[in-house]
Amino acid sequence: MSSGTESFFRYHVFVCTNQRPPGHPRACCGGRGAGPLGEYMRARVKDLGIAGARVNLTGCFDRCEAGPLLVIYPEAVWYSFRTESDLDEIIQSHLIEGRRVERLLVP
């Protein structure tokens, strides 16, 4: 019998894909390529068959200046990413091996 305290997902990844109007002073993750990169991460995690990991695209985290951003729960680890290679490193290191990618961490 379940105690009800187990998480359905071992890792739940939220990728900000918020889009603001061009020229907005805070910029946005969506304007920095987060949409296609988030879709890439979602597909890659599925293709690799990483059990217990779920990637969701979401709205604004209100930390726009550091973006594009993603956060992994339950640890609440924040990453900034720019490329598919950055995401591959996060997938391999954090989701598969269980260790953080120090160079991409957002304080």
Side-chain angles (χ1 to χ4, degrees):
M1 181 191 285
S2 172
S3 67
T5 60
E6 297 86 13
S7 176
F8 189 78
F9 298 110
R10 179 174 177 212
Y11 295 114
H12 206 149
V13 182
F14 294 94
V15 180
C16 177
T17 59
N18 189 57
Q19 194 71 42
R20 285 202 168 99
H24 191 281
R26 290 193 69 199
C28 62
C29 292
R32 294 177 179 145
L37 287 167
E39 290 290 355
Y40 169 83
M41 185 176 196
R42 185 187 339 215
R44 192 78 183 116
V45 166
K46 184 178 179 181
D47 290 347
L48 291 170
I50 302 173
R54 171 77 178 184
V55 178
N56 285 94
L57 307 183
T58 188
C60 189
F61 296 143
D62 202 27
R63 299 184 74 184
C64 312
E65 293 76 14
L69 295 173
L70 64 84
V71 60
I72 301 177
Y73 287 102
E75 302 104 324
V77 175
W78 293 78
Y79 289 110
S80 179
F81 60 92
R82 299 279 190 256
T83 65
E84 290 179 359
S85 294
D86 289 342
L87 295 174
D88 287 337
E89 188 174 356
I90 293 167
I91 291 167
Q92 181 63 41
S93 295
H94 198 122
L95 301 183
I96 295 174
E97 298 171 9
R99 58 186 176 82
R100 295 176 182 187
V101 182
E102 297 293 326
R103 72 179 188 86
L104 298 174
L105 287 175
V106 176

